[in-house]
Amino acid sequence: MKEKLTSLEDALRLVRDDDVVGLQAGPTQCAPMELVRGLIRDGRQNLHVVTLSGGLALDWLAAAGCLSRCTFAAVTMEHYGLAQCFRQGVESGRISAEELSETALFARLGAAARGLPFLPTRGMIGTDLLQVGNPNLAVIADPFGGMPVVACRALPLDVALLHAARADRFGNVGIDAGPRYPTIGVMPRAAARVIVTVEEIVSTDVLRENPDRTILPGFAVDAVVLAPHGAHPTSMFPAYDYDADLFEQWVACSSDAAATREFLNSYVRVDPAGYRAAIGPDRLARLERAMTR
Amino acid sequence: MKEKLTSLEDALRLVRDDDVVGLQAGPTQCAPMELVRGLIRDGRQNLHVVTLSGGLALDWLAAAGCLSRCTFAAVTMEHYGLAQCFRQGVESGRISAEELSETALFARLGAAARGLPFLPTRGMIGTDLLQVGNPNLAVIADPFGGMPVVACRALPLDVALLHAARADRFGNVGIDAGPRYPTIGVMPRAAARVIVTVEEIVSTDVLRENPDRTILPGFAVDAVVLAPHGAHPTSMFPAYDYDADLFEQWVACSSDAAATREFLNSYVRVDPAGYRAAIGPDRLARLERAMTR
Amino acid sequence: MSNPSSGDADSSPAADYTVDELMTATLARCLSDGDQITNGISSFMAVCAIELARRTHAPDLVWIAGGSGLDPLDPRMTDSTFEWPIWQHSSMYFELSAQFWDYVANPRFLSTFFVGAAQIDAHGNTNLSVIGDFHHPRARLPGTAGLADMSALDKRLIYWVPDHSRRTLVERVDFRSGAGYLDGDGERERLGIGGGPELVVTNLAVFDFTPISQRLRLRSVHHGIDLETVLAATGFEPVVDGPVGITPPPSVREVTLLRTVVDPQGLRSRGVRQPREKA
Amino acid sequence: MSNPSSGDADSSPAADYTVDELMTATLARCLSDGDQITNGISSFMAVCAIELARRTHAPDLVWIAGGSGLDPLDPRMTDSTFEWPIWQHSSMYFELSAQFWDYVANPRFLSTFFVGAAQIDAHGNTNLSVIGDFHHPRARLPGTAGLADMSALDKRLIYWVPDHSRRTLVERVDFRSGAGYLDGDGERERLGIGGGPELVVTNLAVFDFTPISQRLRLRSVHHGIDLETVLAATGFEPVVDGPVGITPPPSVREVTLLRTVVDPQGLRSRGVRQPREKA
C-alpha cells in the first residue's frame, strides 16, 4: 500500500486557487478546521466550496476573502445565528450562492461519485429553488409514466477536505461508533483529490480490529495529516465538544470589519502550534472532559 | 417502541401468494433459509423473488414449485455449479426471468426505497440486457447534454426476507463487524413488509453498546423471529460456515425429480425442530468451529 | 425508555403555564405512538414536544435525534439540538443526513415533521432562504437545509412560530424554500405532492388550513389573547369561518414534566415572544 | 502484508510448470502497483494471480477480496472465492456489492477486472446469461452478475479461459452479458464506453485485440502448443498479423510461490483443461 501520510504544508498544496472544494461540516460538528485555517493562511483565492450545512468554516473563509462561490443546503451557525461574513459576502455579490435541498446536494455529489451525469430527486418540487435559473437542475419526465423528477447534474469536486478519528499511514480512515458525519461517505468519492486530517495515526492492525469502522479505503485518499484537535473549535464525537467560547467570540466580532481582522490574525492566520497555544491546553482538555459517555 | 418479536408461523403469514419477495442471499452466504423452508412448507404459490445472486434458496423454491418469476443479477451455486431446478424452471418456461446487472438491480430497489420512479445507471450499455424488451429499463438522454443513461424503474417489494445476527424485541437489527450482506441495506426500505430472522434476541442495551452496528431500525421491521442457525446451510459470518455436505447432497440429487422430492421432504418440508434434528447438533457445532477468527 | 417516566400523573388542565409550555404541549399532542420523527437544528420546542410525547401519550414514538441517533436514552438538552448530548445513548446511528434521507424519502417512514421558518405565508409556504431577490438578496438567510425536501415528500408538516408577527406571517413568502399549498386550490396535489401543512402553532394562536382554498384558518387563540390581537399581528387575513375557541391548556402533568424532566433549563422558551396579557 | 513474502527469489524462467501456473503468472503480470482490483465468484485463477502479484512485483496492489474485504492478511484459498476465508482479516469491510459498486462506478477506482465467461466472441463480448434465445433458452446460465456493469464502465478487462474450445471462443456470443468491442470499429467508443478488453489468456494461448477492427489477435501460444491446435480450437478466425511467439513462462519464484504459499491446494487448476503436448 502506498504511503499517504504527509505534512500539512504538502497536503495543502493539493488545494489550488479556483478549486471546487468539498467541505465536510455541520453547524458546529466536525469540520476539518486545521485545513481551513491552512487555506486561509496560504491565501487561497476564488474557492468554490461545497458544503451540506457548514457554518464557522464558511464564515472564516468568507471573512478571509478565499470564497467566491458556495453550493450548500444551509450555511448556518445554528444557535449562534447567521454566518455574518458569509451572509455579507452573498448580499454584496462577492460570493455567488447555489442553494440546493439536501437530497439535491447528495444527488449532485452522488452522481459525480458514480460517474453518472445526474441523479434524480423528488425533493424541491413546488419550491422556488427550481425557479432561479439554476442550470444544474432540470425537471424531467419519468420514462415509465410516473411523476416527473428533478435531475441534479453531477458536481465533481477538485478536492475534498475531511476530518476523522484515525488513519493508518496508507490512508485507510477509521471512526468511532457514532454517526458518520455529513457527506463523509460521498464527498471523497466525488473528488479528484482527498485530504483527511486525523486525531491519531495508528497501525493498520488497529483498523483490522474493527474493519467495519473503516469508512474510507486508502486507495481513495491522497493525503493524511496528523492533526490532533484538528476539528476544533467544532466538535468531534466522542472525543471532544465544540468550543462554545470561541464560537461566541467569533459571533461577537464577525459583524465588525476591524474586529474580524484581529480575530483572524489571532486565531486563524496562525500555524497549528500557534493555534493550540492561543487556545490553550486547559481549554482543549476541558472540551474533552465535557463529552462523558 | 412496538413489539416486533413473533413466531415463525405468524411471520410467514406476512408473505402471501403472488407476492414480490426480496431475498437477501449470496451463492453460499447468509440467506434467510428458515423462512425459505417455511414458505415451501406452507405451500406458497406464484412468488416473484428478487435476489442479487441467490443460489440454494432459489433452487429450493423452484424445486418446490413456489416460484413463478425471478429478478436477479445471478442465480448460481458458485463452485456447486448451476442451480439446476431454477435453470430447468426457466428453460421450461415455468419461471420467467428478469436478468439485470447489479447496479440496475440496486437502482430498481433504490428507487423503490426512496419513492423515486427510477434511478439511472451507466451499466449494461452495449449489452443485450437492453435488447430483450425489458419494460423496466429505458435509455434516456442526459438533460445536461452528457451521455445517455439507463433509467431503471422502481421495483417495490411486497415483503423482504433477511437473516442477521441479533435483534431486540422492537425490531432493531444488529450485526457483527464484517461485510454487510448483499442488499441488506436497500431491500428492507424497498419493501412494504419486512421479516428478519436472527441468531439471538438481545436487550436494546446490547445494541446501544455498538449502535453503529445496528443496520436496521425497528420502525422499518415488521416481524422478528428467533432462528438460531437460521441461515443454515448458507454461511453466517462470523458465526458459522456454510454446510458443504448439504450443498453437495442437494447438487447430487437436484437433476433427478424423485431424488429432489425426497430431499425436500427430508430437509425442507420440515419444521425448524425437525430440520435441526435432521442436520444434527454435531454438524452445526462443526460449522461454528470452522470459522476461527 | 419507552415507558412513560415518573412525574405527576394529573391530567387536569394546568392553571399556571407559560406560552412556550402551551405551544410545546400543543405540538406534542400532534404526535402519536405510530409516528417516527426527527428534528433539525435550532429546534428546542420541537425536541421538547417529542420528548414530552414520548413520556406521556406516545411511548412508542420513534425519534431520530438530530437526524442521527435512534431512540436516545435520556437525551440532554443543550444549546444545540443537533449535537451529541441529545444522541449519545442511541440504539442506532445513521450517517448524518445521507442515510437519514434514505429513510425520509421513503413514503413508509417519518411521515411527520415539525418545521420552523423565517416566514410562513397564507398558503403555508415557508421561507428560510432570502429576503428580497434570490440573486441580490437584502438578507441572505441560512438556507433551506432539509425543508425543500421534506415539504415536497408527502409529509405532514406542523409549523411552530415563536414570534407571531406581520414579519413572520406574510401573505406571500419572499422565496418558497418549502412547499406548503403553493397557491392553494389543489396546486400541491396537481404537482403530485401528498401531505402538506396541517397545523400552525404560534405564540398567540393555532391555525389549520381550509380544505379548498388551502389558506390558514384560525382555530383557537391562546388563553388571554383576543382575536383582534391575533389578526393585527398577522400579515394576511386568515380564514375565520366559525367560532374561535381557546387553545386547550397543557395538563398539570405536561407542565410538570417539561419543567422538571424534559427541559429544566427552559431552552424551549428561546426566541418565544411572551404575549402581553390583555387588560 | 504489502511486503513481498518469503519464497525463492529466483526470477529465471521455470523449466517445470503447469498450464494453470503459466496462466496465473500471465494474469498476475497484468497487474501493477497502482491497480485496485476485486474478484467475483468462481475465480480461483484470478484470486491466485492477485495474491501472486501482491507477493512479487505489486506489493502496493489494492485488493477488495470477494467484493467486501480490503487488503486481507494471508487470505486462505477454499472452495469458494466469495467466502470469509479470503476476507476474514481485512482493514475495511464494504457492504457486499452495494457500497462496492459505489467505488467501482467511479472512474478513479478499480480500473482493472479479471473476467471469466461461458462464451467470449471475436470482438471480446462475453456471455454468462443464456445459450439460445433469451426468453426461451436452451440453457439458462448463472446470469451476468457484475459483468454487465464492469464491462460498460470504462474498465480494462482481462479475460481468462480455462477451456479454450470452439464452444467457449465463438464468432458471436449467443447473448452479450458483457460488452467487449461490440461489432468493433469503434462501436464501443461511440456508445461512450471507455476501456475494454485488453488480453485473453487461455489454456492454449494469449490474445490481444487489433486496434481498428477490434478483433482477437493471437499474440503467443503456450510452450508445447502449435498454432494449428490453437486455430482448430477457436470458433472464429483470430487475427494473426505477425510472428506468433511463445508465451513467456513463469519464473521459478512465481511457480514456487503459487505451489507453496498462494495456493498449495492447487485450486487454481479447477476447470483448466490440460492441453495435450504435441508429439
Side-chain angles (χ1 to χ4, degrees):
Chain A
M1 287 168 290
K2 284 194 193 129
E3 177 78 30
K4 301 292 171 67
L5 184 61
T6 185
S7 67
L8 178 63
E9 291 70 32
D10 283 349
L12 285 168
R13 279 192 205 105
L14 296 175
V15 188
R16 294 153 201 164
D17 287 353
D18 309 308
D19 267 357
V20 181
V21 180
L23 190 74
Q24 165 199 299
T28 55
Q29 302 89 350
C30 201
M33 296 304 288
E34 187 151 315
L35 292 174
V36 168
R37 288 189 296 270
L39 294 177
I40 292 171
R41 210 167 50 241
D42 289 358
R44 211 63 88 250
Q45 294 288 311
N46 218 29
L47 300 179
H48 172 183
V49 173
V50 180
T51 184
L52 183 75
S53 57
L56 189 66
L58 273 290
D59 220 24
W60 283 3
L61 288 165
C66 305
L67 195 63
S68 67
R69 182 166 169 78
C70 188
T71 296
F72 60 93
V75 173
T76 171
M77 311 270 283
E78 209 201 344
H79 44 299
Y80 299 108
L82 295 174
Q84 293 294 348
C85 295
F86 174 80
R87 171 201 173 163
Q88 289 157 15
V90 174
E91 291 167 11
S92 70
R94 287 193 312 276
I95 300 170
S96 79
E98 182 190 28
E99 182 176 338
L100 297 171
S101 78
E102 295 195 0
T103 63
L105 187 70
F106 282 115
R108 293 202 64 197
L109 292 173
R114 284 184 233 165
L116 291 167
F118 71 89
L119 277 172
T121 178
R122 282 281 299 165
M124 297 185 297
I125 291 174
T127 75
D128 285 342
L129 293 171
L130 297 178
Q131 310 297 329
V132 293
N134 187 334
N136 302 309
L137 304 175
V139 177
I140 63 171
D142 170 26
F144 306 107
M147 300 304 300
V149 296
V150 182
C152 305
R153 190 206 296 246
L155 172 53
L157 306 174
D158 293 307
V159 61
L161 310 182
L162 314 165
H163 184 73
R166 61 188 61 85
D168 65 13
R169 319 173 56 87
F170 311 112
N172 296 297
V173 178
I175 57 170
D176 290 303
R180 280 162 291 153
Y181 282 105
T183 59
I184 200 165
V186 71
M187 260 191 188
R189 291 187 288 106
R193 302 182 292 281
V194 176
I195 310 176
V196 185
T197 56
V198 291
E199 295 290 323
E200 56 171 355
I201 301 293
V202 298
S203 78
T204 308
D205 285 344
V206 170
L207 298 179
R208 284 185 208 279
E209 289 167 16
N210 292 291
D212 61 333
R213 288 178 179 146
T214 302
I215 45 119
L216 261 179
F219 67 80
V221 172
D222 297 277
V224 166
V225 177
L226 175 62
H229 296 102
H232 182 276
T234 61
S235 66
M236 173 73 199
F237 182 80
Y240 48 88
D241 203 355
Y242 65 91
D243 188 337
D245 293 342
L246 201 68
F247 269 85
E248 278 162 18
Q249 212 176 324
W250 171 251
V251 168
C253 76
S254 61
S255 294
D256 177 83
T260 294
R261 260 196 310 277
E262 196 181 323
F263 183 100
L264 290 179
N265 288 335
S266 303
Y267 288 107
V268 180
R269 288 200 180 93
V270 288
D271 66 16
Y275 182 76
R276 273 182 270 276
I279 301 302
D282 292 356
R283 195 149 143 196
L284 294 173
R286 181 164 43 77
L287 295 171
E288 288 178 6
R289 279 196 306 273
M291 208 170 273
T292 52
R293 291 269 285 170
Chain B
M1 289 168 288
K2 283 192 193 130
E3 177 78 32
K4 302 292 171 68
L5 185 62
T6 185
S7 67
L8 178 62
E9 292 68 35
D10 283 350
L12 285 168
R13 277 190 207 107
L14 296 174
V15 189
R16 293 153 200 163
D17 288 351
D18 309 307
D19 267 358
V20 181
V21 180
L23 189 74
Q24 164 198 299
T28 55
Q29 302 89 348
C30 200
M33 297 304 288
E34 187 151 315
L35 292 173
V36 168
R37 287 189 296 270
L39 294 178
I40 292 172
R41 211 165 50 239
D42 288 358
R44 211 64 87 250
Q45 294 287 312
N46 219 28
L47 300 179
H48 172 184
V49 172
V50 180
T51 183
L52 183 75
S53 57
L56 189 66
L58 274 289
D59 219 24
W60 283 4
L61 288 165
C66 305
L67 196 62
S68 67
R69 182 168 168 78
C70 187
T71 296
F72 60 93
V75 174
T76 171
M77 311 271 282
E78 207 201 345
H79 44 297
Y80 299 108
L82 296 173
Q84 293 295 346
C85 295
F86 173 79
R87 171 201 172 163
Q88 288 157 17
V90 175
E91 291 167 11
S92 71
R94 287 193 310 277
I95 300 171
S96 78
E98 182 191 29
E99 182 177 338
L100 296 171
S101 79
E102 294 194 0
T103 63
L105 187 69
F106 282 115
R108 293 202 65 196
L109 292 173
R114 284 184 234 165
L116 292 167
F118 71 90
L119 278 172
T121 178
R122 282 279 301 164
M124 298 185 297
I125 291 174
T127 75
D128 284 342
L129 293 171
L130 297 178
Q131 310 297 329
V132 294
N134 187 335
N136 302 308
L137 303 175
V139 177
I140 62 171
D142 170 25
F144 306 107
M147 299 306 300
V149 295
V150 183
C152 304
R153 190 208 295 246
L155 172 54
L157 306 174
D158 293 307
V159 61
L161 311 182
L162 315 165
H163 184 73
R166 61 189 61 84
D168 65 14
R169 319 172 55 87
F170 312 111
N172 296 298
V173 178
I175 57 169
D176 291 302
R180 281 162 289 153
Y181 282 105
T183 59
I184 202 166
V186 70
M187 259 190 188
R189 291 187 287 107
R193 303 182 291 282
V194 175
I195 309 176
V196 185
T197 56
V198 292
E199 295 290 323
E200 56 172 356
I201 301 292
V202 297
S203 77
T204 307
D205 285 343
V206 170
L207 298 179
R208 284 185 208 279
E209 289 166 16
N210 292 289
D212 60 333
R213 289 180 179 143
T214 302
I215 44 119
L216 262 178
F219 66 79
V221 171
D222 298 277
V224 166
V225 177
L226 175 63
H229 296 102
H232 183 276
T234 61
S235 66
M236 173 72 199
F237 182 80
Y240 48 88
D241 202 355
Y242 65 92
D243 187 338
D245 293 342
L246 201 68
F247 269 85
E248 279 163 17
Q249 213 177 324
W250 171 251
V251 169
C253 76
S254 61
S255 295
D256 178 85
T260 294
R261 262 195 309 278
E262 197 182 320
F263 183 101
L264 291 180
N265 288 335
S266 304
Y267 289 107
V268 179
R269 288 198 180 94
V270 287
D271 66 14
Y275 182 76
R276 273 181 270 278
I279 302 301
D282 292 354
R283 195 149 143 194
L284 295 173
R286 181 163 44 77
L287 295 170
E288 288 177 4
R289 279 196 308 274
M291 209 169 274
T292 52
R293 292 268 285 169
Chain C
M1 192 253 21
S2 66
N3 294 322
S5 86
S6 63
D8 189 336
D10 191 344
S11 60
S12 62
D16 164 39
Y17 60 88
T18 60
V19 66
D20 50 272
E21 289 159 355
L22 173 63
M23 290 177 71
T24 305
T26 305
L27 293 174
R29 291 169 184 185
C30 296
L31 297 175
S32 68
D33 243 0
D35 277 327
Q36 303 113 20
I37 194 156
T38 187
N39 71 278
I41 63 169
S42 301
S43 305
F44 297 104
M45 189 168 281
V47 167
C48 290
I50 293 165
E51 189 60 11
L52 181 62
R54 296 210 304 170
R55 290 177 182 276
T56 54
H57 63 283
D60 287 341
L61 179 68
V62 169
W63 177 27
I64 304 181
S68 60
L70 182 67
D71 293 329
L73 272 185
D74 302 318
R76 195 147 58 81
M77 295 290 151
T78 63
D79 287 340
S80 167
T81 58
F82 221 63
E83 270 283 0
W84 58 273
I86 67 163
W87 44 246
Q88 64 178 331
H89 301 299
S90 293
S91 57
M92 175 175 180
Y93 284 127
F94 294 82
E95 181 173 353
L96 250 172
S97 305
Q99 194 187 5
F100 162 75
W101 281 111
D102 285 346
Y103 282 95
V104 175
N106 188 307
R108 287 179 68 206
F109 308 129
L110 291 130
S111 60
T112 299
F113 280 94
F114 288 142
V115 174
Q119 293 180 325
I120 297 175
D121 73 17
H123 289 290
N125 304 298
T126 46
N127 180 14
L128 271 174
S129 299
V130 289
I131 302 297
D133 176 71
F134 181 83
H135 295 287
H136 304 95
R138 284 203 309 284
R140 173 73 236 177
L141 304 177
T144 184
L147 183 55
D149 291 313
M150 62 184 73
S151 69
L153 290 173
D154 306 353
K155 306 298 177 184
R156 185 170 75 114
L157 307 175
I158 314 284
Y159 297 142
W160 85 93
V161 180
D163 179 20
H164 186 146
S165 74
R166 302 179 78 87
R167 210 172 47 86
T168 53
L169 288 164
V170 298
E171 174 62 34
R172 192 187 164 93
V173 288
D174 285 47
F175 188 89
R176 289 178 180 166
S177 313
Y181 291 109
L182 308 173
D183 287 326
D185 295 313
E187 187 182 356
R188 180 182 173 92
E189 294 86 332
R190 283 194 297 280
L191 285 176
I193 320 174
E198 196 174 280
L199 216 64
V200 181
V201 179
T202 82
N203 57 328
L204 300 180
V206 176
F207 300 84
D208 62 6
F209 290 83
T210 56
I212 306 298
S213 65
Q214 300 176 311
R215 278 179 72 95
L216 263 77
R217 171 171 64 185
L218 191 59
R219 208 166 83 175
S220 65
V221 296
H222 300 341
H223 176 77
I225 309 293
D226 60 26
L227 182 59
E228 291 65 39
T229 304
V230 174
L231 296 178
T234 306
F236 55 88
E237 206 173 312
V239 175
V240 183
D241 64 1
V244 174
I246 301 294
T247 310
S251 69
V252 170
R253 184 175 172 216
E254 286 169 329
V255 170
T256 305
L257 276 171
L258 280 174
R259 292 181 187 177
T260 63
V261 178
V262 174
D263 178 29
Q265 295 176 77
L267 291 166
R268 66 193 173 277
S269 71
R270 281 213 181 170
V272 177
R273 198 156 48 107
Q274 304 295 322
R276 278 170 300 182
E277 296 274 326
K278 59 180 169 179
Chain D
M1 192 251 23
S2 66
N3 293 321
S5 87
S6 63
D8 188 335
D10 191 344
S11 61
S12 62
D16 164 40
Y17 60 87
T18 60
V19 65
D20 50 271
E21 288 158 356
L22 173 63
M23 290 177 71
T24 306
T26 304
L27 293 174
R29 291 169 184 185
C30 295
L31 298 175
S32 67
D33 244 0
D35 277 327
Q36 304 114 18
I37 194 156
T38 187
N39 70 277
I41 64 169
S42 301
S43 305
F44 296 104
M45 190 169 281
V47 167
C48 290
I50 293 164
E51 188 60 11
L52 182 60
R54 295 209 306 169
R55 290 176 182 275
T56 54
H57 63 283
D60 287 341
L61 179 69
V62 170
W63 177 28
I64 304 182
S68 61
L70 181 67
D71 293 329
L73 272 184
D74 301 319
R76 195 147 58 79
M77 294 290 150
T78 63
D79 287 340
S80 166
T81 58
F82 221 63
E83 270 283 358
W84 58 274
I86 68 163
W87 43 247
Q88 63 178 331
H89 301 299
S90 293
S91 56
M92 174 174 180
Y93 284 127
F94 293 83
E95 181 172 353
L96 249 172
S97 305
Q99 194 187 7
F100 162 75
W101 282 111
D102 286 345
Y103 282 93
V104 175
N106 187 307
R108 286 180 68 206
F109 308 128
L110 292 131
S111 60
T112 299
F113 280 94
F114 288 142
V115 174
Q119 293 180 324
I120 298 175
D121 72 18
H123 288 290
N125 304 298
T126 46
N127 180 13
L128 270 174
S129 298
V130 289
I131 302 296
D133 176 71
F134 181 83
H135 295 287
H136 304 93
R138 285 203 308 284
R140 174 70 236 177
L141 304 177
T144 185
L147 183 56
D149 292 312
M150 62 184 73
S151 69
L153 291 173
D154 305 354
K155 306 299 178 183
R156 184 171 75 114
L157 307 175
I158 313 283
Y159 296 142
W160 85 93
V161 181
D163 180 19
H164 186 146
S165 74
R166 302 180 76 89
R167 209 171 47 84
T168 53
L169 288 164
V170 299
E171 174 62 34
R172 192 187 163 93
V173 287
D174 284 47
F175 188 89
R176 288 178 181 165
S177 312
Y181 291 110
L182 307 172
D183 287 326
D185 294 314
E187 188 181 357
R188 180 181 173 93
E189 294 85 333
R190 283 194 296 280
L191 285 176
I193 321 174
E198 195 174 280
L199 216 64
V200 181
V201 179
T202 82
N203 58 327
L204 300 180
V206 176
F207 300 83
D208 62 5
F209 290 83
T210 56
I212 307 299
S213 65
Q214 300 177 310
R215 278 179 72 94
L216 263 78
R217 172 171 63 186
L218 191 58
R219 207 165 83 174
S220 65
V221 296
H222 300 341
H223 176 78
I225 309 293
D226 59 26
L227 182 59
E228 291 67 38
T229 305
V230 174
L231 296 179
T234 307
F236 55 87
E237 205 172 314
V239 175
V240 182
D241 65 1
V244 175
I246 301 294
T247 311
S251 69
V252 170
R253 184 176 170 215
E254 287 168 329
V255 170
T256 306
L257 277 171
L258 280 174
R259 292 181 187 177
T260 62
V261 178
V262 173
D263 178 29
Q265 294 177 79
L267 291 166
R268 65 193 173 278
S269 70
R270 282 212 181 169
V272 177
R273 196 155 49 106
Q274 303 296 321
R276 277 170 303 181
E277 296 275 326
K278 60 181 167 176

